[in-house]
Amino acid sequence: MSLIEALNWRYATKKMNGKAVPEEKADLILEAARLALTSSGLQPYKVIVISNPELKQTLLAYSFNQSQIIDSSHLLVFAAWDTYTEDRINDVFTHTHNERGTPPESTTGYQKMLVDSYVPRPEEVNFNHAARQAYIGFGMALAEAALQKVDATPMEGFDNVEYDKILGLNEKGLKSVAIMPLGYRDETGDWLVNLKKVRRSKSEFIIEIK
């Protein structure tokens, strides 16, 4: 199945049937998020994977009681750095040089530029920038889920503050951004399953400048 075919197949699943997603498919979806591009390669976010039924039940109350939370096989929580720090930026470059075997001094100027540009900014500005990077990975994971014929529901409808408390994200310097239940559609219980996918036409969506 091509990516376009997969995107036509997928939809924001409203009711899942509780069937487990094979771990090898879940791993591919997570790997797509891990390999996603990010600004300066900083990867300023993490993905929390929740399969524990009791924890999902607890989170349900802070997710507008959307049933996908507890009916999903895996609940993915994308959480961005709360801000950029000199240590966080330098750690990324140290890891890169260790992996590539390149001299640290080869990126000294670029690192300093990032530190001087990012660190003085307000934390909210930095968090919003990091959150935008998380959404790139979020989109990649949605696309890979579709290629794997795994249903996924992108959600912003949850209480970020309570999620952060319950999952201990504050202590990790993270803030939840978006969540993604993974599972399989309930063919009989999902009102959206057989409705036509609707998007704006190409002529309305694309502006060409030649």
Side-chain angles (χ1 to χ4, degrees):
M1 184 166 57
S2 71
L3 178 58
I4 298 302
E5 289 171 329
L7 293 177
N8 274 303
W9 171 83
R10 73 153 303 280
Y11 72 106
T13 309
K14 302 303 181 188
K15 177 66 177 173
M16 294 180 173
N17 62 15
K19 180 182 174 183
V21 173
E23 287 303 319
E24 58 269 23
K25 292 197 171 194
D27 287 344
L28 287 171
I29 294 165
L30 291 165
E31 186 67 354
R34 189 183 73 88
L35 293 174
L37 63 158
T38 57
S39 179
S40 297
L42 294 177
Q43 286 187 288
Y45 66 95
K46 292 181 181 289
V47 184
I48 296 88
V49 184
I50 301 167
S51 55
N52 180 280
E54 290 77 19
L55 180 53
K56 287 192 289 185
Q57 184 66 51
T58 299
L59 293 171
L60 178 66
Y62 303 104
S63 313
F64 296 97
N65 290 309
Q66 296 175 91
S67 65
Q68 302 98 314
I69 301 299
I70 55 174
D71 293 336
S72 66
S73 172
H74 301 68
L75 175 63
L76 310 187
V77 180
F78 285 69
W81 288 356
D82 53 8
T83 192
Y84 289 101
T85 67
E86 184 172 359
D87 285 344
R88 281 176 162 175
I89 292 171
N90 288 338
D91 284 348
V92 171
F93 282 92
T94 297
H95 175 68
T96 298
H97 290 305
N98 288 339
E99 289 291 307
R100 291 177 173 172
T102 49
E105 59 270 19
S106 63
T107 58
T108 299
Y110 188 66
Q111 283 178 244
K112 185 177 186 305
M113 183 273 291
L114 289 178
V115 169
D116 291 347
S117 299
Y118 287 12
V119 175
R121 299 186 307 195
E123 287 189 1
E124 189 64 20
V125 171
N126 281 337
F127 167 68
N128 286 333
H129 182 271
R132 290 195 294 273
Q133 311 314 305
Y135 271 106
I136 298 172
F138 193 76
M140 291 287 193
L142 282 171
E144 183 61 34
L147 285 169
Q148 295 300 321
K149 281 290 188 83
V150 171
D151 286 301
T153 309
M155 291 182 177
E156 291 182 312
F158 67 101
D159 188 326
N160 306 66
V161 173
E162 290 300 326
Y163 262 65
D164 294 353
K165 289 179 184 176
I166 293 167
L167 299 177
L169 299 184
N170 298 311
E171 295 81 2
K172 296 178 175 66
L174 298 168
K175 292 182 180 181
S176 55
V177 172
I179 60 177
M180 184 190 305
L182 300 177
Y184 294 100
R185 63 191 66 177
D186 183 339
E187 298 279 357
T188 59
D190 191 339
W191 62 270
L192 191 56
V193 65
N194 292 317
L195 294 183
K196 180 182 179 180
K197 181 184 288 290
V198 178
R199 296 291 188 272
R200 283 180 287 168
S201 68
K202 180 179 177 181
S203 63
E204 292 176 316
F205 181 69
I206 297 173
I207 298 173
E208 290 195 63
I209 301 175
K210 298 182 178 179

